[in-house]
Amino acid sequence: VQLQASGGGLVQAGGSLRLSCSASGRTFSSYGMGWFRQAPGKEREFVASISWSGGSTAYADSVKGRFTISRDNARNTLYLQMNSLKPEDTAVYYCAAEFRATYVSAPHYWGQGTQVTVSS
């Protein structure tokens, strides 16, 4: 699976962004998908996950209620809607895929990152 993330940018605190991750190659619908992020000087951390069927989602406590993960299997695309953004959400965001996963914890594939910067 080849993953291509997009949609990052600069936004003021309280604003919104929608990230997209386009997949090509193997059957997208067979993969659980997730978003991770890495801030400067910090380790990469889990943000959100959606099962291969789309029926199950999970979020980090820090984004719960503000971010929404979704997928469109017909378009081979993963999304992350980010609302009420905070400066601490500033990071490089990565999409990832794990075969038949309900919860993505050990991705088989990673996309390149997209930078999200939230100004105060």
Side-chain angles (χ1 to χ4, degrees):
V1 177
Q2 290 80 44
L3 304 174
Q4 179 78 30
S6 61
L10 174 64
V11 63
Q12 289 189 331
S16 299
L17 280 175
R18 189 175 81 156
L19 304 184
S20 299
C21 176
S22 297
S24 61
R26 298 181 184 270
T27 306
F28 176 73
S29 60
S30 296
Y31 286 80
M33 299 295 297
W35 289 97
F36 294 75
R37 67 187 182 186
Q38 187 167 20
K42 295 187 177 181
E43 293 187 352
R44 189 176 298 186
E45 65 175 2
F46 168 79
V47 175
S49 174
I50 187 167
S51 64
W52 61 275
S53 67
S56 178
T57 58
Y59 297 91
D61 287 343
S62 59
V63 307
K64 202 171 293 183
R66 300 188 297 121
F67 290 10
T68 302
I69 189 171
S70 62
R71 65 189 299 160
D72 184 341
N73 286 345
R75 296 179 182 271
N76 284 2
T77 305
L78 172 74
Y79 302 101
L80 185 68
Q81 178 66 45
M82 305 186 295
N83 298 329
S84 302
L85 282 161
K86 304 175 181 180
E88 52 263 43
D89 294 318
T90 295
V92 177
Y93 284 70
Y94 299 89
C95 56
E98 184 175 344
F99 184 69
R100 291 292 186 183
T102 298
Y103 174 79
V104 176
S105 59
H108 296 118
Y109 302 98
W110 291 91
Q112 95 297 349
T114 186
Q115 176 71 47
V116 172
T117 303
V118 184
S119 62
S120 57

